[in-house]
Amino acid sequence: MIKDISDFDNVFFIGVAGVGMSAIAQYLKGIGKNVSGSDRYFHPDEYNKTKEQLEQEGIKCFLQDGTGITEKTELVVVSTAIEDTVYEVQKAKELQIPLIKRSELLALIAKSKKTIAVAGTSGKSTTSAMLYQILLDAQYEPSIISGAGLTNIIKQGKIGNAAVGKGEWLIIEADESDGSVVQYEPEIGLLLNVDKDHQEIEELIDLFTIFKNNTKGLFVVNQSNTLAKSLSENRENDFGFENKEAGFSAENFHQEGLSLSFEVLNENFQMNSLGQHSVENATAAIAVANQIGIALKTCAESLARYEGIYRRHQILGQKNGVWVIDDYAHNPAKCAASIKACQPLAEKVIAWFQPHGYGPTRFLKDDFIEEISNALRPQDEIWMSEIFYAGGTAVKDISANDLVEGIKATGKKAHFVEDRNHLLETLRPELNSGTVLLLMGARDPGLEEFCKGLYEKL
């Protein structure tokens, strides 16, 4: 029985290329464990960038055929996407090797450090990255296990979603989508927002209430988000956007092109980013950092250098007067916030969105229609391609075109291009100088190359 991270040395990850799995694999390698793994995206004689990056870190990678699991393996880690029918799971059981879910292992790691757990339905990766940058610049030598690559780590040739520091603080994301948020017992709990995403609101409130009760020390919430505010312990600890009830409130917000400025407790902040939601995330990071002893001036100096994270309002560039921005937005609130954040940049925003999963799209259909319609100005447009299907037994009884028709019914401009590979040729007449093209979607491993390819062909 594995009860502590000192209980094993040889660990194997099934699905090691996944963003959540690769982060923990790299962290464990960084603290001296012998780490290996397999993935269904690894194929013989076929280049895989993630595989190369993991192997550069000393993590041995195998095809998903069972050869990597041996009698020496002491622990096998599976993500929620790995089913019991997978051959490697069966082999681990035959060899009587303990199996553990990714989130359970992350909870064990969190118990070994002073942990800041970042929760909420939007903004976890961005806020975690900002907080990591502040602690790093304040010489706290923090560690991070994230759901997205940090640009300043990616520049070192790494995946960018994990780092091991010598300090006592570890920053993690506490995910509500699989319910694992309830497994963590952090020193500091941070709740950014509560919006309908993978579960109904009542379920989310129950999960975040347990998260709050499990937090051993400081609990910080967003006073500007109605549902998050309902879980506040002390509003003086909290953050908000132009909200006098919060101890840390972002005031005098201004966006000029790709630059944001605002004030917190009379300290001036400037960042290269987009949108009000970025300011809320930054203020959350500031609130936590300041309450563990980091001066506001240090926070400001750090955030001025913050370089962002992979596929979170990632600016691919500008061609022929058209800005192209790639974003991971995938739920209604995130899509709406992403569209709004781009509006100060240009007279017209053309957004493209690929929903992922038939179940989630069906569950959130009305919310997508309402949120996106409300975000679009009369001159803006939304284009969608068919739902990304990752396999499995999903019932395909909904189409992205159903969302498009719903948005059209509100009087806003919406279009459907079933195959995204035909998007650019269909869109090209609309792409005039002074336009932002915003590309949104998640989960699909081919999205990065699609977005980069579209920009190159523009």
Side-chain angles (χ1 to χ4, degrees):
M1 184 69 179
I2 305 293
K3 293 184 178 179
D4 190 272
I5 60 168
S6 63
D7 291 343
F8 65 90
D9 287 311
N10 299 299
V11 55
F12 186 90
F13 287 76
I14 305 175
V16 71
V19 67
M21 296 282 272
S22 64
I24 298 177
Q26 290 168 90
Y27 179 85
L28 290 177
K29 184 64 184 176
I31 62 169
K33 303 294 183 183
N34 182 24
V35 183
S36 56
S38 65
D39 202 277
R40 65 191 173 107
Y41 290 110
F42 298 162
H43 301 293
D45 305 318
E46 185 178 302
Y47 175 73
N48 184 288
K49 184 179 179 182
T50 303
K51 179 175 180 284
E52 180 184 70
Q53 290 172 313
L54 289 169
E55 289 182 333
Q56 283 174 353
E57 297 294 315
I59 296 167
K60 192 167 183 183
C61 294
F62 295 86
L63 303 180
Q64 205 168 77
D65 59 6
T67 53
I69 298 175
T70 70
E71 287 81 0
K72 291 182 180 178
T73 308
E74 296 170 288
L75 181 66
V76 172
V77 189
V78 293
S79 71
T80 49
I82 304 297
E83 297 173 342
D84 285 347
T85 53
V86 171
Y87 171 65
E88 288 185 310
V89 174
Q90 297 299 319
K91 184 173 181 181
K93 288 179 177 179
E94 286 169 17
L95 293 174
Q96 297 186 321
I97 301 167
L99 283 154
I100 191 171
K101 284 193 168 66
R102 181 201 68 85
S103 57
E104 294 170 332
L105 179 53
L106 182 55
L108 288 181
I109 293 169
K111 286 179 181 174
S112 71
K113 301 280 282 185
K114 286 181 75 172
T115 297
I116 301 168
V118 182
T121 44
S122 302
K124 293 185 290 293
S125 297
T126 302
T127 306
S128 297
M130 290 174 174
L131 196 47
Y132 174 76
Q133 184 72 52
I134 293 170
L135 267 64
L136 195 65
D137 290 340
Q139 310 297 316
Y140 275 54
E141 298 188 74
S143 300
I144 185 169
I145 297 172
S146 173
L150 282 66
T151 301
N152 61 341
I153 303 177
I154 291 172
K155 283 182 174 179
Q156 301 167 29
K158 301 173 184 287
I159 297 172
N161 52 353
V164 176
K166 296 176 183 175
E168 60 183 355
W169 287 103
L170 167 68
I171 300 161
I172 67 167
E173 295 180 36
D175 194 3
E176 81 292 338
S177 65
D178 58 2
S180 61
V181 66
V182 303
Q183 297 178 22
Y184 309 112
E185 298 176 357
E187 264 68 31
I188 298 176
L190 174 58
L191 180 58
L192 301 172
N193 39 54
V194 183
D195 296 299
K196 187 177 176 184
D197 191 350
H198 301 88
Q199 298 103 327
E200 295 288 357
I201 293 297
E202 294 77 12
E203 293 176 68
L204 289 170
I205 290 294
D206 288 344
L207 290 172
F208 289 131
T209 299
I210 296 169
F211 173 63
K212 170 186 171 178
N213 294 336
N214 285 348
T215 298
K216 294 183 282 191
L218 181 68
F219 190 70
V220 178
V221 308
N222 185 354
Q223 283 284 330
S224 296
N225 181 273
T226 304
L227 293 168
K229 178 181 177 180
S230 69
L231 294 173
S232 174
E233 283 192 340
N234 181 348
R235 66 188 187 192
E236 289 302 311
N237 300 335
D238 296 340
F239 71 99
F241 181 85
E242 296 180 354
N243 190 313
K244 299 297 185 186
E245 292 186 18
F248 297 81
S249 176
E251 303 290 335
N252 300 322
F253 165 60
H254 183 66
Q255 179 172 334
E256 185 68 44
L258 302 173
S259 179
L260 304 177
S261 62
F262 59 100
E263 294 176 14
V264 177
L265 295 174
N266 299 316
E267 183 72 42
N268 293 316
F269 288 81
Q270 184 277 325
M271 291 171 57
N272 292 318
S273 194
L274 292 172
Q276 176 185 323
H277 65 292
S278 296
V279 173
E280 286 193 33
N281 293 335
T283 309
I286 293 161
V288 171
N290 188 243
Q291 290 179 90
I292 62 171
I294 299 174
L296 291 174
K297 189 174 189 299
T298 303
C299 295
E301 291 168 352
S302 180
L303 289 173
R305 291 192 291 269
Y306 173 67
E307 295 182 83
I309 57 175
Y310 168 73
R311 292 204 66 234
R312 284 4 181 236
H313 272 128
Q314 189 172 4
I315 296 163
L316 299 182
Q318 187 183 39
K319 277 190 182 177
N320 306 318
V322 178
W323 283 104
V324 183
I325 296 174
D326 181 14
D327 194 46
Y328 194 75
H330 58 278
N331 71 22
K334 289 176 182 174
C335 288
S338 194
I339 291 166
K340 288 177 183 174
C342 292
Q343 288 168 343
L345 280 181
E347 180 57 33
K348 182 177 182 178
V349 173
I350 297 177
W352 170 82
F353 176 51
Q354 176 185 273
H356 74 266
Y358 288 89
T361 306
R362 190 186 314 110
F363 178 64
L364 295 167
K365 176 188 171 186
D366 292 342
D367 301 271
F368 271 124
I369 292 168
E370 180 182 357
E371 294 265 14
I372 291 174
S373 298
N374 289 340
L376 293 170
R377 300 171 298 187
Q379 67 268 36
D380 296 333
E381 301 178 13
I382 180 79
W383 293 65
M384 292 192 196
S385 295
E386 196 50 280
I387 296 164
F388 170 66
Y389 173 57
T393 55
V395 179
K396 299 179 183 179
D397 59 352
I398 188 168
S399 166
N401 194 37
D402 295 326
L403 307 186
V404 167
E405 291 301 323
I407 294 166
K408 278 166 127 176
T410 70
K412 298 297 173 68
K413 296 173 183 172
H415 311 273
F416 181 63
V417 177
E418 183 174 2
D419 183 347
R420 71 186 186 196
N421 293 315
H422 299 150
L423 177 69
L424 184 56
E425 63 192 70
T426 314
L427 256 185
R428 205 179 279 280
E430 307 287 327
L431 297 173
N432 303 313
S433 181
T435 299
V436 168
L437 176 57
L438 170 65
L439 306 170
M440 302 183 291
R443 309 290 190 238
D444 180 350
L447 265 175
E448 177 188 10
E449 289 308 314
F450 167 73
C451 294
K452 285 181 178 176
L454 187 147
Y455 171 68
E456 287 165 5
K457 294 172 193 168
L458 194 64

